[in-house]
Amino acid sequence: MRNNMDQDILKVLYTEEEIHQRVEQMGKELFEQFQGRDPLFVGVLNGCFMFMADLVRASGLKSELEFIGLSSYRDATKSSGVVQITRDMQRDITGRELIIVEDILDSGNTLAFLSKYLMAKGAKSITIATLLDKPSRRQKAITADYVGFVVPDEFVVGYGLDYAQVYRNLPYIGVLKPSVYTK
Ligand code: IMP
Ligand code: MG
């Protein structure tokens, strides 16, 4: 066993290599769309950290990076529906073309809140890049422009995604054993 988290994983959905291949493709597509346009990447903390690091490198775009901390989960596997800003951005985004980088689009509450917030702050446009999309659980009319993988309605962890702040550093994406969060 490579690490002491593997034992809590029911099954691996996407391996490190599969994620790498997909993120490289997404980066190329972003380059095609945004080259010469000076976009600003806005990563949603904490879940985006690994995807953001790989996506911005894969894009090859000459661009700035920003992070915003948002929270709608209180160590549970269901969204509370209430989104809070836990860390705000450090620069003015007026007139900027933004690329939001998110780990997973689930109910849509987080991205509905964030899109509205960023437009109110004067963003010129918003493009959403999400690593995972769980469309079966959507509550808000939000669609992502770039989706890495569409996932079934199961609680997933790894490659940035957590359960109770743990498992973010798994290199793959897997389904957590229900016994981990029902005990
Ligand atoms: P939404 O607001 O319901 O769309 O949820 C977005 C946030 O919920 C994501 O940024 C994640 O932090 C978290 N989330 C939703 N589904 C999962 C999951 O299956 N595993 C881990 N985190 C999740
Ligand atoms: Mg998140």
Side-chain angles (χ1 to χ4, degrees):
M1 207 162 265
R2 249 188 104 234
N3 60 55
N4 59 9
M5 294 177 281
D6 289 341
Q7 64 207 28
D8 297 337
I9 303 302
L10 189 66
K11 63 180 182 228
V12 175
L13 286 184
Y14 302 105
T15 64
E16 192 170 3
E17 183 54 29
E18 286 167 333
I19 296 167
H20 176 74
Q21 297 292 333
R22 185 69 191 108
V23 175
E24 285 293 316
Q25 283 174 355
M26 293 173 85
K28 282 188 189 130
E29 291 168 21
L30 283 172
F31 181 80
E32 293 305 319
Q33 184 180 346
F34 285 99
Q35 55 175 314
R37 281 169 55 182
D38 191 27
L40 172 64
F41 283 92
V42 179
V44 183
L45 293 172
N46 295 326
C48 79
F49 82 101
M50 232 180 245
F51 178 45
M52 179 88 158
D54 288 343
L55 187 66
V56 294
R57 278 181 289 186
S59 80
L61 286 163
K62 185 175 174 184
S63 52
E64 295 162 72
L65 315 185
E66 256 296 348
F67 292 94
I68 188 165
L70 296 177
S71 163
S72 66
Y73 271 63
R74 292 227 182 82
D75 294 354
T77 59
K78 295 268 167 5
S79 172
S80 64
V82 180
V83 182
Q84 290 175 312
I85 296 177
T86 55
R87 177 199 181 277
D88 208 348
M89 295 173 300
Q90 305 298 302
R91 51 157 99 35
D92 184 13
I93 59 159
T94 309
R96 299 297 303 268
E97 294 199 273
L98 309 182
I99 303 170
I100 297 179
V101 180
E102 172 66 302
D103 53 0
I104 183 167
L105 174 52
D106 186 20
S107 70
N109 287 323
T110 302
L111 286 179
F113 168 87
L114 182 60
S115 300
K116 212 195 243 177
Y117 178 74
L118 296 174
M119 289 311 285
K121 286 231 165 200
K124 179 180 171 189
S125 69
I126 289 175
T127 297
I128 296 174
T130 186
L131 177 68
L132 305 178
D133 187 4
K134 225 190 250 182
S136 56
R137 305 212 330 149
R138 203 77 88 249
Q139 294 170 11
K140 296 277 163 58
I142 288 278
T143 49
D145 302 281
Y146 295 88
V147 174
F149 304 101
V150 176
V151 291
D153 185 8
E154 288 177 296
F155 198 78
V156 298
V157 294
Y159 193 70
L161 292 121
D162 72 307
Y163 169 66
Q165 301 303 326
V166 188
Y167 308 103
R168 292 193 196 276
N169 56 328
L170 278 176
Y172 57 84
I173 294 167
V175 177
L176 197 60
K177 285 182 184 164
S179 59
V180 175
Y181 52 81
T182 52
K183 71 177 170 217

